[in-house]
Structures are given as structure tokens and as C-alpha cells.
Amino acid sequence: MTAASHSSKAGAALAEGGWEVPSPCRVLGIETSCDETAAAVVVDGRDVLSSVVSSQTDLHSRFGGVVPEVASRAHVELLTPVVAEALVEAGVDGSNVGAVAATSGPGLIGSLLVGLSAAKALALVWDVPFVAVNHLEAHLYGAFLEDPALELPLVVMLVSGGHTMLVAMEGHGRYRLLGQTIDDAAGEAFDKVARFLGLDYPGGPAIDALAVEGDPKAADFPRSMLAEGYDFSFSGLKTAVITHVRKHPDQAVADVAASFQEAVVDVLVAKARRAARDVGARGLCLAGGVAANSRLRERALDACIEDGLQAFVPNPAMCTDNAAMVAAAGWWRLRADGPSSLGTGADPNLRLPLLG
Ligand code: KG4
Ligand code: ZN
């Protein structure tokens, strides 16, 4: 792998850097930012040879949320077998892996350090580049794994347990923040409401499954800040659900779940559509764990058809945390910036790199 003189590569800002990546480049991706221990091998940022995810959900469910110390200890135990499985499934070893990428933030500091240290050690042993990956950018590239033919600009709605952002993507690595949540993230609202309703952890999938049997019009929950700008607020909705259930204790939980979910989806889809129209986007992309929500996917796809937008809605396994998205984002970053320094630390508060 050699540093190239700054040859311009059409169309992609992230690809305009000075690093030439020979093809095929098999990138081992490692993801340990929260409670999934994951490893994957992806070729040239798009072909997934393997993607192994070991979820720690059972370990954390009795606490109703992720316990950081429990998470990092579990990553230490699980990472070696998970990486071994990803390599075997992909049919690769140290002799033909081209780079090792790992999430460096945002996330839980102890958990991030486990994956990051392992990735640096493997890169050193195999004498290949190490690439530090931003978890938020990785979610974005999860959306492009199935359909890399981007038509820019795009509006990306990144909805996860920790983030809710509307971003205009003008090129690879060129993001402009349009709006974000002013209080709870969308996934956090799903998790908190589910916990109040006595549903399983994590709450998003539990509400999604139960809502199928419920009436989304059963309760009239607020659509906060629906007509105002691109920012979101979900904490009032959470309070409204609690107040409603206390007043109507006999109402079917499925009806409450469906009505809550509809309120969240109404706001997300309305703002994403408006943003796409206002920035003249060619497409709309969903990313992050909440993008696995069946009602959000259905409504976003309908909106894209109605508005003539290209839709990037990754399959549900690519929405929640996984390492294929890390390997894909790592490949794009390697092309743009070259290898990361082995001195790169974990950053629990790492932000998406934004323009201007
Ligand atoms: O992206 P992710 O796996 O981890 C973070 O980076 O936060 O997102 C996890 C979040 C959790 O809040 C979870 O409840 C939510 O995504 N989630 C869902 C669904 N699947 C996961 N929310 C709604 N519907 C789903 N089907
Ligand atoms: Zn995530």
C-alpha cells in the first residue's frame, strides 16, 4: 500500500485524499462501542464476506440498560472468538487482510478501548494499516453497503440509542448538520417508554413487535416540534405516554405502543421529507438502530416513492451495531486519509466531522 500523489478521484471528497488502496482490499472491522461485540470482513467497502455480531443483551437485560463495566469485561472475553469466526467465515487470515479498522468513538470508553487495542495489535502483527472509525460515520456506510451507487446530495437520518440527527451529505465525508434532538434520542425514547410499559430490553424491537397488534390511533400523543425546523424533542412524548397510561390503566399495551411509535415515526418522516425537499436531495438514507423499526422503514419508503427520492434503507441487521459498517467506513477513510496513527485514542464523545 503506497501513498499516492494527490490524484483526483471523481465525485467523492472522502476519496480525494492521498492514499492509494490496492484492490481488492479486505478490511477487518471491529466494533465494541456499546454492548455488541462484532467483527466483519468487507472487500473494497462493499462486499461483505462475513459479519459476526455477539450481542450482550442477555447480560444487561436484568439491569434494564447497558452497564459499562459489565460491557467492557464481556468484550474482553468475546472479542477473540468473534474475530476468529469472522476471519474463518470470510476465508482470510493475516496474510491477505489489507487493513484493520475499529470504532474509536463515540461510545463507552472501556468498551471502545477493547476493540481499539485489539485492532492496533492485529495491524502491528500483520503489518497492515490501522484505521480509526467514527461510529456515526460507520452507521452511514452501513446504509450504502447494499447500494453503493450514491446520488448526491443525500439527506441522512441517523437515529440510534444515543443520537438523532438529520444530516445533509454532500459527498463522502462531507456532512452538514441540519438538526438534532434537543433532549432524548429516538432510541432512548423507545427504550424508556418500553421500560415504563414493562416490555423487554432493548425496548425498540419490543415496541416494534407489539405495535403490529395495536391501533396507532388509539391514543393521541403529541408530535413535538412537527412544523418547526429540523430539531427533534422526544422527552415530552415520553411524559405524555406515562400520563396517559396512568389515566387509562386498562388500555391495551399494544395500542399504547402503536400510538407512541406512530407519533415518533410521524415526526421523523415529516422532518426528513422536508429536509430532503429544502436541500434538493436526490435521496433519503436511514441509519442507526431505530432505522430497523418496521413502521419507520415502511413510512420512509412510501415517502421516498411519493417524493421521487432514492431510498437507502439498510436491512435491519445493518441498522443496529455491527462491524461490516465499520469495515466499510474504514475503507473509505483509508482512501481519504491513509492509515490512522497507532496513538489514536478512544473518544467517548467523538462527533461526526461536519463542514463549516
Ligand atoms: O445503533 P444502535 O444499535 O446503537 C447505538 O449506537 O445507539 O441503536 C440502538 C437503539 C436502541 O435504543 C434500540 O431500542 C433501538 O436502536 N432499536 C429500535 C429497533 N431496533 C433497535 N428502535 C425501534 N424499533 C426497532 N425495531
Ligand atoms: Zn450504533
Side-chain angles (χ1 to χ4, degrees), residues 33 135 139 160 288-289 319-321 325:
S33 67
H135 184 81
H139 269 302
S160 70
C319 294
T320 47
D321 289 350
M325 66 184 195

Side-chain angles (χ1 to χ4, degrees), residues 33-34 36 135 139 159-163 186-188 190-191 202-205 208 261 288-294 319-321:
S33 67
C34 191
E36 324 282 356
H135 184 81
H139 269 302
V159 272
S160 70
H163 295 85
E188 196 179 352
F190 269 96
D191 294 338
D208 193 352
Q261 178 176 271
V290 180
N293 183 268
S294 55
C319 294
T320 47
D321 289 350

Side-chain angles (χ1 to χ4, degrees), residues 159 164 181-187 189 193 224-225 232-239 260 263-265 267-268:
V159 272
T164 298
T181 183
I182 59 167
D183 41 53
D184 291 349
V193 165
S224 303
M225 302 170 72
F232 301 90
S233 166
F234 294 109
S235 101
L237 171 59
K238 175 189 66 193
T239 310
F260 160 76
V264 175
V265 170
V267 176
L268 292 176

Side-chain angles (χ1 to χ4, degrees), residues 50-67:
S50 63
S51 179
V52 179
V53 180
S54 174
S55 173
Q56 303 173 9
T57 301
D58 292 347
L59 281 179
H60 300 285
S61 59
R62 70 194 165 104
F63 302 108
V66 178
V67 183

